[in-house]
Amino acid sequence: IDSGVQGFIIYARSGYEDINVYKHLLKRDVPLIMIDRYYPELKVDRVVYDDEKAAFDLTSHLIARGHQRIAIIPGPEVETTSVKNRLMGYQKALMHHGVTIQGELMWFGLYNQPNLNRQDVKHKQQCLDKLIQTRPTAVLMINDSIYERFSHDLSDLEFELAGLDEGGFALEAATFSYRMLPESSTLKLIALQPGEALGRK
């Protein structure tokens, strides 16, 4: 502010540790715009995607493809509005299409550490155990980073995401991404949400 900055575009951290800083700025009449995620308690402008609708559409498309057991991996930032809204869209789509919401398919404990060591064999085994125990036919990843970690872990375990066993168990994936992802036999749906569009807006 002292150097002449007249406003801030804020990509908020997960959690609400910084809220008092933003409240202080607002008291000083400094304009703030929150981008991609926001703090509901703050009355500020925001530029975000409709994450709830995107998750509703992705889940609906998976259901249209014949899936009834759709797992979701929220990742570590469950307090952010973008993740909360995607979870809400997922649940609303299941209810809308008459598919029972099953807690065992909401994998909150998987990838709930931001900087997990990719060489952690125990964690890779946890991924496999989740698949075997809950038997989803599709998985909705909360972002492309989670998708890549999940694919990487199963690959390291010498399992393919599609055709996990000889019984014809095939797993399809959907995710949200700011960019196009490499073609895959498993990744069927992407909600494209490029950051450039948010920046322009």
Side-chain angles (χ1 to χ4, degrees):
I1 293 171
D2 290 343
S3 67
V5 170
Q6 295 177 306
F8 293 89
I9 298 172
I10 297 163
Y11 178 75
R13 293 194 296 171
S14 181
Y16 297 92
E17 297 90 349
D18 301 326
I19 195 164
N20 288 331
V21 175
Y22 303 145
K23 285 180 176 178
H24 175 72
L25 290 171
L26 291 171
K27 282 181 181 176
R28 294 182 63 174
D29 293 323
V30 177
L32 307 179
I33 295 176
M34 305 201 87
I35 193 166
D36 186 68
R37 72 254 310 252
Y38 58 93
Y39 291 177
E41 186 181 330
L42 291 180
K43 293 184 178 178
V44 299
D45 289 333
R46 58 183 183 251
V47 180
V48 298
Y49 283 103
D50 190 340
D51 289 297
E52 184 179 319
K53 183 180 185 309
F56 182 96
D57 290 347
L58 283 179
T59 307
S60 296
H61 282 304
L62 288 171
I63 292 168
R65 292 178 64 82
H67 297 288
Q68 295 286 299
R69 293 187 60 77
I70 304 169
I72 187 168
I73 306 177
E77 295 188 315
V78 292
E79 291 304 312
T80 63
T81 50
S82 55
V83 173
K84 283 183 175 181
N85 290 336
R86 289 171 189 178
L87 280 166
M88 194 179 307
Y90 160 80
Q91 292 175 310
K92 285 186 175 180
L94 293 178
M95 289 187 290
H96 178 79
H97 295 284
V99 178
T100 303
I101 297 174
Q102 299 178 61
E104 66 177 10
L105 293 174
M106 299 177 74
W107 296 353
F108 284 99
L110 198 58
Y111 304 123
N112 59 353
Q113 301 170 42
N115 300 307
L116 194 69
N117 185 345
R118 284 186 179 235
Q119 305 309 314
D120 187 343
V121 176
K122 181 180 177 183
H123 192 78
K124 297 177 196 302
Q125 189 62 47
Q126 186 184 3
C127 294
L128 184 60
D129 290 344
K130 280 281 189 188
L131 285 172
I132 293 171
Q133 290 166 12
T134 61
R135 306 291 290 183
T137 60
V139 180
L140 178 59
M141 321 283 180
I142 216 68
N143 57 41
D144 52 3
S145 175
I146 296 293
Y147 165 73
E148 288 171 351
R149 288 171 73 176
F150 186 71
S151 302
H152 180 272
D153 283 351
L154 290 184
S155 175
D156 279 2
L157 287 166
E158 297 181 359
F159 283 89
E160 295 293 332
L161 275 174
L164 187 63
D165 65 17
E166 295 178 2
F169 177 66
L171 191 67
E172 293 187 344
T175 192
F176 305 79
S177 180
Y178 68 93
R179 61 191 167 91
M180 282 301 296
L181 297 171
E183 202 168 314
S184 159
S185 60
T186 303
L187 186 60
K188 301 298 181 184
L189 301 164
I190 302 174
L192 273 178
Q193 300 180 331
E196 291 90 342
L198 294 180
R200 283 195 300 271
K201 186 70 174 176

